[in-house]
Structures are given as structure tokens and as C-alpha cells.
Amino acid sequence: MTDKLTSIASKVAQVTLAFWIMKILATTLGETAGDFISMTLNLGYYVGFGVTFAILIALLVAQIRFDRYHPALFWAAIIATTTAGTEVSDMMDRSFGLGYAAGSLILVAGLAATLAVWYWRDRDLSVYPIRRKDAETFYWIAIVFSNSLGTAFGDWLTDNAGLSYVQGALVTAAVIGVVVALHYGTRISHVLLFWIAFIFTRPFGATFGDLLTKPLDHGGFNLPRGTASLITLALLAGVLVASEYLFRRNDDRNDPGTLERLEARAGE
């Protein structure tokens, strides 16, 4: 009964296989949409950064203000963080001249500081369920740093380490595979493994974004960034609709009287 109440009360998505599939698609979309804004529209990194962060802030304010989990809003916010992460990584490398390695170290420090303050306040870094708005604020700040860090690391693999997009995807896939093995085969903190996986699914998805849009002589498919973004968005929406449909078939959480009935039963 407690698990049922927790699921209803949580303001963020439950971490399931569908969550990770949508996370990877969201990172691919973030990569192509971020490049579309800054490059295809020729807005530049500073203007692109301003546009994406304005959208991100608006979505996060709405997300945090709501008292329940709204799938479309939650995943729109995730997409916005991945798009912003693309802009942050590119701006730190190309506008500030820091390079992807130095930029990654800065982002690691930012993520570590966020998690440290979050733990100091709550003595808990659980990513599900999250019901309090202050904890959710730290959750989203950590996500922004994680997606920006994942972008910078992925760009480092292909631009500095000299790997192809497929090779970069294989490297990050191997890291994700190790995380999955540790999750099921060890007692290492699942919270720690979640954030490692969250970081590395960013470059994994981003390499597919690069694969779709980069020129043929660079190992890509040379699709227009707008087209690649629309294709990825359609796939993400399809997975989201399917996962929510399957969830609703087995759970009546959207019935307005469900929570009241469950609370009444819990009090008996």
C-alpha cells in the first residue's frame, strides 16, 4: 500500500526501462535541437544559450509548481535540459575556449557541489519518489549539470580522442553496461549508479544525434537538423504514449478518487 501511495505522490518519473529509452531519445533530440538553434538558425552560442535557458526555466517553473507527475511536462523539461546541455558544452569550448576536458571538470565540480548540498539538506539523494519542491529543485539542477557534462564528454570522445560517432557510442554503451551489471550484481549505491548512468546516456544519445546530422565524409547520415529532431521527437512521443498506456492499464492512478481511497484504507 505504501508503494502505491508513493507512486501516486511522486512528482518525477519512475526509473524503468522505458525511462532510460526515453532519456536516450531525449539526449539525441537535445543534440540535434541545440545544434539547430545555434547553427542552422545561425543564432550563435550566446543567443542559443539564452533561448534554450529561457525555455528551460519556464518549463522547470511549471514542472516544480505542479503537485503531481505530468508525463508530457516532465519529458519536455528533460528535453530542455539536454538541449541546454548542448549549448553549455559548445559555449564553454568554442566561445570561452576552455576545451571539452576543462569544461568537463567544471561541470563535474558543479554536479558534485549540487549533490553535496542536496545531501547536506536532506540526508537523502533518492531520485524516486520526489514529492517536495525543494528536493525537486536540486534534482533538476543536478540533471542540468549531468546532461551538460555528458555532452562535453561525448564531444571530447569524438573531437579530441579521435573516435568516430559509432566508436563513441560503443564506449559509452560499454560504460552503461558496466553500470547495469553493478546495479544487479553488487550492493553499490543505486543512487550513485543512477547518476553515472544519467551522465553517460547523454553522450550515448548525443552520438546518435551526430550520426544523423553530420556530413557523410565525417561518418554521419547528413540529415537536416530539423528533420533529425522531428524524427527523434516522434520516436520519443511514441515510447511515452505506449509506456503511459501500459501503465494506466495496470494502475488507476488517474482516477480522482484513487488517492483518497488508498489513504482511507491505509488509515484503517
Side-chain angles (χ1 to χ4, degrees), residues 35 41 45 77 98 100 115 133 154 156 182 191 230 236:
D35 288 344
L41 297 181
Y45 296 115
L98 295 174
Y100 291 123
L115 295 178
K133 294 182 179 181
W156 179 83
L182 292 175
V191 172
L230 291 174
L236 175 58

Side-chain angles (χ1 to χ4, degrees), residues 168-193:
L170 291 175
V171 169
T172 51
V175 174
I176 295 169
V178 170
V179 171
V180 172
L182 292 175
H183 175 81
Y184 288 105
T186 71
R187 295 184 177 181
I188 295 176
S189 168
H190 288 179
V191 172
L192 173 62
L193 294 177

Side-chain angles (χ1 to χ4, degrees), residues 49-74:
F49 177 84
V51 170
T52 54
F53 261 79
I55 296 171
L56 173 61
I57 294 300
L59 288 171
L60 290 184
V61 167
Q63 164 67 27
I64 294 172
R65 286 185 63 183
F66 278 111
D67 293 328
R68 299 289 179 87
Y69 169 62
H70 295 272
L73 178 59
F74 176 86

Side-chain angles (χ1 to χ4, degrees), residues 16-233:
T16 62
L17 177 60
F19 175 95
W20 290 114
I21 293 173
M22 287 186 282
K23 168 60 167 59
I24 292 170
L25 289 170
T27 61
T28 302
L29 178 57
E31 182 73 13
T32 57
D35 288 344
F36 177 81
I37 292 171
S38 62
M39 298 179 186
T40 303
L41 297 181
N42 200 29
L43 296 179
Y45 296 115
Y46 291 114
V47 175
F49 177 84
V51 170
T52 54
F53 261 79
I55 296 171
L56 173 61
I57 294 300
L59 288 171
L60 290 184
V61 167
Q63 164 67 27
I64 294 172
R65 286 185 63 183
F66 278 111
D67 293 328
R68 299 289 179 87
Y69 169 62
H70 295 272
L73 178 59
F74 176 86
W75 285 104
I78 290 288
I79 293 169
T81 65
T82 64
T83 306
T86 299
E87 301 295 347
V88 168
S89 174
D90 288 343
M91 188 170 66
M92 292 178 74
D93 177 67
R94 300 169 191 176
S95 297
F96 296 162
L98 295 174
Y100 291 123
S104 295
L105 292 176
I106 293 172
L107 294 168
V108 166
L111 175 59
T114 301
L115 295 178
V117 174
W118 184 1
Y119 184 78
W120 176 75
R121 283 175 54 92
D122 295 351
R123 290 295 185 268
D124 182 24
L125 293 176
S126 298
V127 295
Y128 185 87
I130 292 180
R131 289 168 286 184
R132 294 185 0 256
K133 294 182 179 181
D134 56 345
E136 188 184 5
T137 300
F138 283 106
Y139 172 85
W140 286 108
I141 294 172
I143 282 179
V144 171
F145 274 118
S146 298
N147 277 328
S148 300
L149 174 59
T151 305
F153 178 77
D155 289 339
W156 179 83
L157 285 178
T158 54
D159 291 5
N160 298 113
L163 300 183
S164 68
Y165 301 120
V166 174
Q167 290 171 332
L170 291 175
V171 169
T172 51
V175 174
I176 295 169
V178 170
V179 171
V180 172
L182 292 175
H183 175 81
Y184 288 105
T186 71
R187 295 184 177 181
I188 295 176
S189 168
H190 288 179
V191 172
L192 173 62
L193 294 177
F194 170 86
W195 288 111
I196 294 174
F198 203 93
I199 290 168
F200 281 94
T201 49
R202 179 64 180 90
F204 184 70
T207 54
F208 286 108
D210 288 332
L211 182 66
L212 290 173
T213 60
K214 295 302 181 182
L216 296 175
D217 58 357
H218 284 69
F221 293 153
N222 200 32
L223 291 177
R225 296 185 182 97
T227 301
S229 297
L230 291 174
I231 292 172
T232 309
L233 178 60

